[in-house]
């Protein structure tokens, strides 16, 4: 089990990551405001790393940071 939290850099909301790779698609079990849900690995990467340039040449900055 790997428990850690990520925090939105704009509004300080927190998502707790309970477990990673919970199925064959490498999804993540997360909790936000006491509500558990499944977060896809690609959504997680977009939140933490941002996105690469798409066909329009635009990229997005990371919106979350890892906290203790």
């Amino acid at each position: 089990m790997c428990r850690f939290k990520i925090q939105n850099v704009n509004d300080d909301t927190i998502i707790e990551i309970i477990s990673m790779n919970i199925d064959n698609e490498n999804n993540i079990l997360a909790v936000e405001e006491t509500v558990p849900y499944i977060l896809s690995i690609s959504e997680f990467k977009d939140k933490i790393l941002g996105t690469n340039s798409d066909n329009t040449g635009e990229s997005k900055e990371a919106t979350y940071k890892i906290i203790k």
Side-chain angles (χ1 to χ4, degrees):
M1 186 178 286
C2 64
R3 294 182 80 118
F4 62 94
K5 296 177 183 179
I6 60 176
Q7 182 178 28
N8 189 306
V9 295
N10 295 320
D11 64 9
D12 295 332
T13 57
I14 294 176
I15 298 173
E16 184 174 5
I17 305 301
I18 304 298
S19 184
M20 299 183 85
N21 302 326
I22 61 171
D23 58 15
N24 61 347
E25 295 178 6
N26 297 324
N27 288 322
I28 298 166
L29 179 60
V31 175
E32 185 173 4
E33 296 181 8
T34 70
V35 179
Y37 68 98
I38 306 268
L39 180 66
S40 75
I41 191 70
S42 62
E43 290 173 322
F44 177 77
K45 289 192 294 188
D46 286 347
K47 288 178 184 301
I48 298 298
L49 302 174
T51 58
N52 291 331
S53 294
D54 55 15
N55 292 336
T56 64
E58 295 181 24
S59 61
K60 294 182 180 178
E61 295 291 320
T63 54
Y64 282 77
K65 63 182 178 180
I66 297 174
I67 61 173
K68 293 181 180 183

